Amino acid sequence: MSEEKKSCLVFTCLSGSIKACIAIVAGLVFVEPKEENQIHSRSSGFSKRPPPESLPEPELDIYSSVPIQCWTQWFNSDNPTGDEDQETLARLRIQYPGKICPIPVGIEATNLFGIPADQTGDTIFQSDTTTGFICRNGDQISGECNDYRVRFSCTPPYCADTACWTQWFDRDNPSGTGDWETLQSLRRENPDKICEDPWYIEAVTVDSPSTPAIQTGENFYVFSPTQGLVCRQEDQSSKTCLDYKVRFGCPCTK
């Protein structure tokens, strides 16, 4: 009854290998990057890549009162043709002035196919919000890294846009290995109810009154608008998760 990372505040590495790092989150709302010149307004629907006309649009609610953490655009300033793929903050700030907040609170790296860095099989030399991202060819069995892109998570005033929110979803409970509210499963079980490119995710407990995930003190294996939420029993000191429900923030139409 389960399936299967990301966060923006605390990173824990397993077995001493950065490539085996998982993201343990302590946050409430996570968002996807927004393209420049996008317009957001207080109505339901989407402002980019609307679903085919034959499919019903999800019913969305306006919700803009929660604290938001947003992501920058994706950056790809280097490739692994030399000794390494170096997507460092120092390099990126020079090439993209004003595009990265002064103090990022999270970093995400994928290859150009969108596969997270820790799932590519590469050994990652560095991935943090102080230095940025470095993959060295010499550390790889194949002799060469994938080509990576990175983005950084920021806090307001970098992100304070209004979003349209989906209904709440609660597809699982923590009776097995954990509570698995993954986006893939939610899409399959709730067709046409979640926009194509969610910006935000919010999670709270299912009890009443509900408690925001940030206030529960639990560790989250996955907490991402592109992946959903996973709370694993094994990551908790109590060896049990609370039961969560999630919803996704989507672009609004004019």
Side-chain angles (χ1 to χ4, degrees), residues 19-81:
K19 107 176 186 184
C21 286
I22 61 173
I24 303 298
V25 66
L28 168 61
V29 177
F30 296 81
V31 304
E32 288 301 289
K34 293 172 272 297
E35 311 233 343
E36 292 184 15
N37 302 323
Q38 243 178 351
I39 299 175
H40 317 298
S41 62
R42 297 177 177 272
S43 63
S44 63
F46 312 119
S47 62
K48 66 176 180 179
R49 294 198 211 170
E53 293 183 1
S54 59
L55 298 177
E57 287 189 333
E59 295 182 1
L60 303 172
D61 297 321
I62 293 295
Y63 191 86
S64 60
S65 62
V66 296
I68 291 174
Q69 291 172 305
C70 63
W71 292 89
T72 65
Q73 68 188 65
W74 288 102
F75 302 106
N76 182 23
S77 66
D78 196 17
N79 60 60
T81 54

Side-chain angles (χ1 to χ4, degrees), residues 75 77-78 84-96 100 107 126 128 130-134 150 152:
F75 302 106
S77 66
D78 196 17
E84 59 191 14
D85 188 353
Q86 188 179 115
E87 306 295 340
T88 62
L89 272 168
R91 173 198 291 264
L92 293 171
R93 289 193 191 282
I94 293 173
Q95 294 190 21
Y96 303 92
I100 304 172
I107 182 174
Q126 193 122 25
D128 59 50
T130 302
T131 302
F133 180 89
I134 298 175
V150 299
F152 299 89

